[in-house]
Amino acid sequence: MSNILCEFPYNDHKHIALVKLNRPKVLNALSTDLMRELVDKLFELDDNPEVRVIILTGNDRAFAAGADIAQMVEATPIDQINNNRFRSWQQLAQITKPIIAAVNGYALGGGCELAMHCDFIIAGDSAKFGQPEIKIGTTPGAGGTQRLTRAIGKSKAMMLAMTGEMIEAKQALDWGLVAKVVPSTTLMQETYETAKNIANKAPVAIKLIKESVNKAFEMSLSDGVDFERRNFYLTFSSSDQKEGMRAFLEKRDPEYKGN
């Protein structure tokens, strides 16, 4: 059985792909094989010119409840290095198209880290988030201390990482970890509507927005504004920019081609 499932087109929308984590018996624990399959599929979708938005999800019980502890319990530091365990995680940052995490149930440890690797999170009201690695004698290792701190601030991130406590969807929304909370029963439909909204926008501009926002975490304000401005200029070499502005002036819906 494959560790991931992919549906494209999703809901018959020719520009939206759905990727689903598929290890339900272990609450989608993120094994090395799953992560490699996931990254391979995401690169495949990133290279497909028809795909404009990717939705990443799990199931009703769990987005992903963490890493596969059985793979790591007896590991040495050299095992971890030789296994290239984090290479797949580093490659996630190379995906240029927007990825929306649709989270129901548990998103803990590596599951929370994977959700934070996505561009934003839409959570069902049953979702629970946390970095409980401290409860098994270790620390987050796939960006948990870094992305969580950037999302919710030092004090809250420190508390969650040191206690291993979980927070529910509403609290995650209040703290800025997730973009939106919806009823768990309508999560996929709500996420699809958001994905459709994005998929109907200019694809090149969407990619450049993703790039610019991500750079905000790595640059000073002045350097970030310079980077943003260059991407703004770059859109004027796109036929979609011409189409978008003409459609606005002509009071009609634009028809974007992605170039």
Side-chain angles (χ1 to χ4, degrees):
M1 183 174 69
S2 174
N3 289 309
I4 63 164
L5 303 174
C6 181
E7 185 179 341
F8 176 70
Y10 176 54
N11 272 6
D12 295 324
H13 194 295
K14 65 180 180 179
H15 296 309
I16 300 175
L18 174 72
V19 177
K20 185 175 183 179
L21 307 180
N22 188 41
R23 299 187 73 204
K25 292 182 179 180
V26 289
L27 298 179
N28 294 327
L30 301 175
S31 65
T32 302
D33 286 344
L34 181 149
M35 289 302 301
R36 287 172 179 163
E37 288 180 40
L38 174 61
V39 168
D40 287 346
K41 178 55 67 174
L42 291 176
F43 272 109
E44 178 186 319
L45 296 172
D46 205 33
D47 290 339
N48 185 336
E50 290 301 310
V51 176
R52 295 185 181 178
V53 183
I54 302 165
I55 298 170
L56 178 61
T57 195
N59 56 47
D60 290 342
R61 291 184 65 201
F63 176 75
D68 194 331
I69 304 304
Q71 285 190 338
M72 297 190 293
V73 63
E74 300 297 339
T76 68
I78 302 305
D79 292 334
Q80 298 281 33
I81 293 169
N82 288 340
N83 191 33
N84 290 317
R85 180 171 184 81
F86 292 110
R87 180 169 58 190
S88 296
W89 290 88
Q90 293 168 333
Q91 291 171 322
L92 287 171
Q94 299 173 26
I95 305 301
T96 66
K97 292 175 181 175
I99 305 175
I100 306 171
V103 177
N104 261 335
Y106 297 111
L108 303 177
C112 187
E113 289 168 323
L114 180 59
M116 290 190 292
H117 270 78
C118 298
D119 295 302
F120 60 91
I121 302 168
I122 298 177
D125 54 15
S126 71
K128 298 180 185 298
F129 299 86
Q131 298 291 157
E133 290 88 348
I134 190 64
K135 293 184 176 182
I136 55 172
T138 188
T139 71
T145 61
Q146 305 304 300
R147 287 186 172 84
L148 191 62
T149 302
R150 286 164 170 77
I152 67 176
K154 175 190 171 183
S155 183
K156 296 181 180 71
M158 197 78 81
M159 182 182 71
L160 289 184
M162 287 185 171
T163 65
E165 293 176 356
M166 295 185 293
I167 58 172
E168 297 187 355
K170 176 62 168 60
Q171 194 166 13
L173 177 66
D174 292 343
W175 286 5
L177 178 60
V178 308
K180 187 177 183 181
V181 174
V182 301
S184 293
T185 54
T186 63
L187 172 67
M188 296 313 299
Q189 182 59 36
E190 297 266 6
T191 306
Y192 170 70
E193 292 299 325
T194 300
K196 187 165 64 172
N197 186 336
I198 296 170
N200 291 336
K201 301 297 192 296
V204 172
I206 290 290
K207 285 187 177 185
L208 294 175
I209 288 170
K210 173 172 179 168
E211 185 180 43
S212 294
V213 172
N214 284 334
K215 286 293 184 183
F217 294 99
E218 302 171 7
M219 292 181 165
S220 67
L221 177 60
S222 60
D223 288 341
V225 170
D226 285 343
F227 187 89
E228 175 192 82
R229 189 176 299 116
R230 292 187 185 99
N231 275 348
F232 169 74
Y233 294 152
L234 184 57
T235 64
F236 284 77
S237 65
S238 165
S239 63
D240 281 349
Q241 171 266 325
K242 303 296 185 291
E243 167 63 11
M245 292 189 177
R246 286 170 183 152
F248 175 81
L249 294 174
E250 295 166 9
K251 295 181 172 55
R252 60 176 175 83
D253 292 332
E255 296 182 11
Y256 294 119
K257 305 297 184 183
N259 54 37

